[in-house]
Amino acid sequence: MELFLPRGTSREAARQLLTEHAEYGHWELHRLRLYSDGSRRVWLRRKIIRAVSTL
C-alpha cells in the first residue's frame, strides 16, 4: 500500500494516520521518503505473523 502525505500534513497527523493503519489494518511501515518540499511518500506492507511451534 502506498500513501502520499501532502506538504501541509503535520507530523502528528502523519503519525496518527500511520498508527491507525498499523492497528486496524495490520500494516507496518516498509519505507518512508521525505521530499525537499515537505511532502512524504509512505509504503506500507502487511504485517507477517509467524506461527510458533509449541512442541
Side-chain angles (χ1 to χ4, degrees):
M1 170 186 258
E2 185 176 336
L3 299 172
F4 179 77
L5 303 174
R7 183 173 118 182
T9 307
S10 68
R11 291 182 73 171
E12 180 62 25
R15 184 197 61 78
Q16 183 66 33
L17 178 71
L18 295 175
T19 300
E20 288 173 6
H21 279 287
E23 288 183 8
Y24 304 115
H26 303 289
W27 294 93
E28 64 183 4
L29 182 63
H30 178 65
R31 184 179 304 158
L32 183 135
R33 181 155 189 189
L34 178 62
Y35 294 100
S36 60
D37 68 349
S39 62
R40 298 173 183 90
R41 187 168 304 274
V42 180
W43 288 268
L44 302 173
R45 64 179 176 191
R46 283 285 183 184
K47 184 180 262 188
I48 299 172
I49 301 172
R50 302 196 192 285
V52 178
S53 176
T54 59
L55 297 176

